[in-house]
Amino acid sequence: MYFDADPFGGAMFTIVPLLIIGVFIFIVVKGLSEWSANNNSPRLTVPAAVISKRTRISNNHHHSNEHMHTTSTTSYYVTFQFESGDRTEFSLNGSQYGMLAEGDTGMLTFQGTRYLGFERIQ
């Protein structure tokens, strides 16, 4: 009588790589569609106020031979409120983030989900 030691019949060696490739393709397509949507959106400059700022720190641990390396990545986010009361959050780089303070008012320039700048009104 024959008993298969691998009840999945090697399916895991097919399913897992296909799943990884599928996720990779999904991420690429999603990124390209957001990039395209931003490019097709109008460039707007509107009055807005900085309502809140936040950061997210991601830690990555890498093992190599006998050493462990940790790298940290900081993501920066700012929420703006428009005169209508609507709010939106943008991802900014560190220097853009550092130039803004909660309570600042001015003219926000953006295109879709892409932050383009903020000019403070004195």
Side-chain angles (χ1 to χ4, degrees):
M1 184 174 226
Y2 173 73
F3 291 101
D4 190 1
D6 183 4
F8 298 109
M12 294 304 285
F13 291 109
T14 303
I15 294 172
V16 172
L18 287 176
L19 194 61
I20 291 170
I21 291 168
V23 168
F24 177 76
I25 290 171
F26 173 78
I27 291 170
V28 168
V29 169
K30 184 178 176 188
L32 287 173
S33 66
E34 182 176 351
W35 177 81
S36 178
N38 283 339
N39 287 343
N40 292 323
S41 295
R43 183 181 182 130
L44 301 174
T45 300
V46 296
V50 177
I51 298 301
S52 67
K53 296 172 64 176
R54 69 181 180 92
T55 59
R56 187 186 80 213
I57 299 172
S58 302
N59 293 313
N60 299 308
H61 304 284
H62 307 280
H63 300 279
S64 63
N65 297 334
E66 298 175 9
H67 304 290
M68 184 175 92
H69 305 279
T70 301
T71 58
S72 296
T73 303
T74 304
S75 300
Y76 302 93
Y77 303 93
V78 176
T79 301
F80 294 90
Q81 182 170 312
F82 305 110
E83 290 179 331
S84 65
D86 293 336
R87 294 180 179 191
T88 191
E89 182 178 70
F90 291 100
S91 176
L92 281 66
N93 65 40
S95 61
Q96 294 167 329
Y97 179 89
M99 297 300 292
L100 299 172
E102 290 184 13
D104 282 351
T105 57
M107 299 301 289
L108 170 66
T109 303
F110 64 99
Q111 186 176 20
T113 62
R114 188 181 298 147
Y115 171 85
L116 298 175
F118 184 78
E119 187 176 331
R120 220 175 266 104
I121 296 175
Q122 302 298 333

